[in-house]
Amino acid sequence: MLIKMDSKSSNNKTSRRDFINKSLRISAGITLGGLGIFLAKDASSEDLVWQLDPKKCIQCGRCVTNCVLTPSAVKCVHVFDMCGYCDLCGGFFKPGTKKLTTAAENQLCPTAAIQRKFIEDPFFEYQIDEDLCIGCGKCVAGCGAFGNGSLQLQVQHDLCVNCNECAIARHCPAEAFSRVPASNNSLFKGFSGHEI
Amino acid sequence: MRYSRTKGYIIEIVLLFTILLSFQTMDVQAQRFPKPEFESGHVQPDTQIALPRSDILEYFDVFVLIVALSVVSWLVLKKRSRRGVFWVSIFSILYFGFYREGCVCSVGSLQNIALALFNPGYKIPLTVIAFFVIPLIFSLFFGRVFCAGVCPLGAIQDIFAWKPMQMKSWLQKLLGLIPYIYFGLAILYAATSTDFIICRYDPFIGIYRLDADFLMFLLGGIFLLTSIFIARPYCRFFCPYGVLLNLFSRVSKNHMTITPSKCIQCKLCENSCPFGAIEEPNMVKIKEPRKNTVRRFLVFTAIIPALIIVGVYVGSQFHQNLAMVHPKVRLAQNIMDLKNNPEIQEDSEYIEPLEIEAFRSAGKSDQQLFTEAKEIIGDFHTGGMILGGFLGLVFGLTLASLSVFKYRTDYEPNKGECFSCARCMDYCPIEEKVGSSE
């Protein structure tokens, strides 16, 4: 008799538990689906990537050390369309350089990542060796102060691992980092960019 | 007088020059030095910008996630194969871990969802929504199969579980409250667009990236060493996404079972679970007197609201400390300090923080910053109270659940805590299909 009662009550219990489980499951499913649809309405179909806005950048040099990658995914990019091909390049030479030669002591870049090439009198072309560039922005500051501002820092997307939250963005004092659509992934100052 | 007039002329000429220039080179701004025209026929190189990863590949990741989840579900529920789950774990470590470098994972996507809900300016990518929703849907149907072998963070700890120790159940319950705190804080900081703390303190991403700062490697090393003895410490006692998976899995439609047919109480599986997620039979023959149960119910209906109120109070008291993590609030605080004690600046060792320098060069007024900071602190006030109330509720319910005994005849996995890793199945002596032939 006791056993019979026991089994009956436990049957009741399981069916009640099943019912509660089922209703909870359905309501959880509806909530989740609703949330998904609500968010999907405003979502962007393409991925977002991090980019640095040179208009806000103050060349503080934090990009060098705060990126999760070593060396940083932020590199200096040369916007040739803006370059004046100056002999006395504010981005290449240290201020107060006497002789305009490529001697190491004259170069502003700590890793000698800028290559200076004679084109024709009086023009010189400057190219950046990305493998050497550490993204310190010293040349960017120099070119911005004395030249056209054709040297600009940018996140290089082939290197960037696109962290969910950019570690440099967290430390950027100028709030220059933002998420941009993957199809429109570069930000320049005074230049609208090329279609590649 | 004369001087200023000449200065005015110069400005006019410069302005004219700039306007002319801007007409000439449509998309290039006014330049100090005009672009040269080469006589030697030199061709100016193009500015090269590297392209990000293609979107198709992002959608392919979602596809891989679905396939991996389906395979694990099949392996756990139908095939009942621990070996299979292990190989899927290895695949996840290689694909989601080392190849995809652990970003965006479902665990972190929680913050993107919170940010998108509270910050309309953030357009969340569809793939991130998929990474958040799909594992939860699977857990509604099949239990925590995502944890079993798809999550790269779980998988790397799982293969390190060589000498798991059984933990005291009170300690396990107590430590099990940490994920709720972490979950609440992560949502608070993501919703106020402050920081993504889950990503910031992700212990394994540095290992997957093979590059990290010292703190990250230290955290990862500690967690992996710990997981030799305490299996999956991050999953059990920290993972904020696990909070949701746990809740969803409790009501799952089909959950894995230890035995394929009927439990014979052989106790062989009793200590097989490295996570302490197997519940022993609990055959209470004598019913508790009604008076006791009623009294307990009344006590808890008083305790739980009291805990919530305490939580709300504590949350509202600490909202300023919570808000100090926000960079804008910190900057406002720094500037306020400078205003109150201007003599700091006169100290020869004083170096102006870069944040203040950047703020000054951006040209916003102090007052603007203070209003913004005040708004953020206001958000933290509300958020802190909600967080406190939520934690009070969680503590109260955990306390209540400790005193409830479920009638159970067999050894069963705890549906909330079980990771569906399928280890216990190997210990069950019952052959499949015995008794299911009827």
Side-chain angles (χ1 to χ4, degrees):
Chain A
M1 186 64 188
L2 188 75
I3 296 161
K4 213 178 175 184
M5 260 186 68
D6 245 347
S7 71
K8 200 187 165 192
S9 71
S10 77
N11 262 346
N12 262 346
K13 237 178 200 159
T14 42
S15 67
R16 194 199 301 151
R17 207 179 279 166
D18 281 349
F19 172 73
I20 293 171
N21 269 358
K22 196 172 182 182
S23 33
L24 282 175
R25 181 162 63 240
I26 290 168
S27 46
I30 290 170
T31 318
L32 194 61
L35 179 76
I37 291 164
F38 173 75
L39 287 171
K41 269 196 308 187
D42 264 351
S44 95
S45 62
E46 58 178 335
D47 206 23
L48 300 175
V49 293
W50 289 96
Q51 192 49 277
L52 180 165
D53 188 352
K55 289 188 204 78
K56 293 182 182 165
C57 174
I58 59 160
Q59 297 96 38
C60 64
R62 286 195 188 168
C63 293
V64 185
T65 47
N66 284 305
C67 184
V68 295
L69 300 175
T70 341
S72 171
V74 172
K75 303 279 175 200
C76 178
V77 169
H78 197 181
V79 182
F80 291 102
D81 272 2
M82 292 175 69
C83 182
Y85 285 76
C86 317
D87 185 7
L88 174 56
C89 173
F92 185 81
F93 291 111
K94 270 185 191 158
T97 301
K98 295 276 173 357
K99 275 187 184 169
L100 301 186
T101 66
T102 56
E105 69 269 23
N106 295 342
Q107 292 190 27
L108 189 59
C109 180
T111 56
I114 307 178
Q115 289 152 4
R116 170 179 151 106
K117 200 170 97 190
F118 175 72
I119 303 292
E120 63 182 55
D121 201 45
F123 301 130
F124 287 82
E125 191 167 82
Y126 299 92
Q127 285 205 338
I128 293 168
D129 186 344
E130 248 183 43
D131 293 335
L132 293 178
C133 178
I134 54 168
C136 66
K138 286 200 170 85
C139 60
V140 178
C143 181
F146 305 114
N148 289 348
S150 62
L151 294 170
Q152 303 187 6
L153 288 179
Q154 285 286 284
V155 175
Q156 292 293 29
H157 297 295
D158 54 340
L159 304 171
C160 175
V161 290
N162 204 13
C163 298
N164 201 9
E165 199 206 26
C166 175
I168 311 175
R170 200 188 294 140
H171 291 103
C172 177
E175 294 174 35
F177 279 77
S178 59
R179 296 179 177 92
V180 296
S183 60
N184 195 6
N185 54 59
S186 55
L187 295 169
F188 286 113
K189 183 159 76 178
F191 176 68
S192 62
H194 279 295
E195 296 293 323
I196 303 176
Chain B
M1 273 307 271
R2 217 184 128 88
Y3 173 70
S4 69
R5 195 177 292 158
T6 25
K7 201 177 172 190
Y9 279 137
I10 291 171
I11 291 170
E12 260 183 45
I13 290 168
V14 170
L15 268 177
L16 200 73
F17 197 60
T18 10
I19 291 164
L20 275 174
L21 255 179
S22 65
F23 274 116
Q24 236 175 20
T25 54
M26 294 301 276
D27 62 346
V28 178
Q29 227 181 27
Q31 294 181 349
R32 288 196 186 116
F33 306 100
K35 198 174 145 186
E37 277 166 25
F38 300 113
E39 283 160 11
S40 61
H42 172 71
V43 183
Q44 171 211 302
D46 255 342
T47 301
Q48 294 288 329
I49 270 285
L51 288 178
R53 199 165 173 264
S54 148
D55 268 336
I56 300 162
L57 288 173
E58 303 289 334
Y59 285 100
F60 179 70
D61 287 343
V62 177
F63 173 72
V64 174
L65 176 77
I66 295 173
V67 170
L69 282 167
S70 313
V71 169
V72 173
S73 306
W74 176 74
L75 284 170
V76 171
L77 291 159
K78 276 265 179 289
K79 195 92 196 319
R80 302 177 58 80
S81 153
R82 166 67 200 156
R83 186 180 286 257
V85 176
F86 173 78
W87 286 113
V88 178
S89 304
I90 298 289
F91 167 77
S92 296
I93 291 175
L94 293 177
Y95 186 83
F96 292 112
F98 285 107
Y99 170 63
R100 289 297 298 122
E101 297 179 334
C103 246
V104 172
C105 65
S106 302
V107 182
S109 72
L110 175 69
Q111 302 161 110
N112 301 61
I113 300 286
L115 181 63
L117 281 176
F118 288 93
N119 186 347
Y122 170 59
K123 283 217 173 303
I124 183 171
L126 277 175
T127 46
V128 177
I129 300 178
F131 261 83
F132 176 76
V133 170
I134 291 168
L136 288 175
I137 291 176
F138 267 83
S139 79
L140 267 188
F141 284 95
F142 309 114
R144 297 173 72 166
V145 285
F146 175 70
C147 304
V150 183
C151 177
L153 307 183
I156 195 168
Q157 294 171 78
D158 201 74
I159 58 165
F160 270 88
W162 298 327
K163 292 240 174 303
M165 294 188 307
Q166 294 293 330
M167 225 179 201
K168 288 267 183 296
S169 70
W170 65 267
L171 186 62
Q172 191 163 331
K173 275 267 190 238
L174 195 68
L175 292 175
L177 288 174
I178 301 173
Y180 289 92
I181 303 172
Y182 202 5
F183 173 81
L185 281 175
I187 289 191
L188 176 67
Y189 281 130
T192 51
S193 3
T194 307
D195 201 349
F196 279 10
I197 55 170
I198 304 175
C199 301
R200 185 172 194 170
Y201 300 111
D202 182 336
F204 305 113
I205 198 153
I207 295 166
Y208 285 138
R209 222 188 264 130
L210 300 173
D211 191 358
D213 56 28
F214 178 69
L215 181 76
M216 253 187 183
F217 268 131
L218 188 73
L219 268 181
I222 289 173
F223 269 107
L224 285 188
L225 283 179
T226 318
S227 53
I228 297 175
F229 304 106
I230 298 166
R232 290 199 184 214
Y234 188 81
C235 306
R236 284 155 80 195
F237 308 127
F238 291 96
C239 183
Y241 190 59
V243 167
L244 293 178
L245 288 168
N246 180 320
L247 295 177
F248 278 63
S249 172
R250 282 183 201 191
V251 293
S252 61
K253 195 165 196 293
N254 306 298
H255 194 277
M256 64 136 265
T257 50
I258 301 172
T259 170
S261 57
K262 202 165 175 351
C263 180
I264 52 167
Q265 267 98 33
C266 65
K267 299 190 177 184
L268 283 174
C269 65
E270 200 171 26
N271 293 321
S272 65
C273 184
F275 318 113
I278 293 180
E279 285 179 343
E280 288 168 18
N282 187 14
M283 314 229 243
V284 190
K285 281 279 190 278
I286 310 148
K287 257 197 164 179
E288 230 180 328
R290 196 165 187 83
K291 214 176 79 186
N292 278 9
T293 53
V294 167
R295 200 177 58 196
R296 199 170 57 214
F297 180 75
L298 286 177
V299 166
F300 278 118
T301 44
I303 283 181
I304 293 175
L307 277 173
I308 294 176
I309 290 166
V310 170
V312 169
Y313 176 74
V314 172
S316 74
Q317 289 301 302
F318 278 95
H319 76 276
Q320 272 172 331
N321 302 51
L322 290 170
M324 277 311 277
V325 178
H326 199 289
K328 218 165 234 166
V329 178
R330 240 182 1 234
L331 175 66
Q333 181 70 44
N334 279 349
I335 289 180
M336 193 87 90
D337 285 348
L338 272 186
K339 271 194 163 172
N340 293 338
N341 308 307
E343 66 271 11
I344 305 176
Q345 276 167 298
E346 283 151 26
D347 191 0
S348 58
E349 277 174 26
Y350 174 79
I351 305 162
E352 190 175 54
L354 282 170
E355 278 79 5
I356 296 185
E357 196 189 313
F359 173 71
R360 300 262 186 254
S361 71
K364 255 201 228 169
S365 78
D366 287 2
Q367 215 47 54
Q368 241 172 320
L369 176 76
F370 292 154
T371 7
E372 277 174 40
K374 208 169 231 168
E375 262 172 47
I376 294 166
I377 294 176
D379 289 345
F380 269 95
H381 197 179
T382 332
M385 289 203 287
I386 296 172
L387 173 67
F390 166 73
L391 290 181
L393 178 71
V394 169
F395 288 7
L397 287 177
T398 311
L399 207 59
S401 75
L402 289 176
S403 69
V404 173
F405 292 98
K406 265 190 199 163
Y407 179 83
R408 201 181 298 110
T409 52
D410 303 333
Y411 281 89
E412 280 169 12
N414 179 322
K415 282 169 87 178
E417 286 171 13
C418 170
F419 293 126
S420 299
C421 72
R423 280 191 180 86
C424 51
M425 292 173 179
D426 290 344
Y427 291 82
C428 188
I430 311 279
E431 293 278 327
E432 209 167 347
K433 280 171 192 147
V434 173
S436 67
S437 53
E438 54 185 4

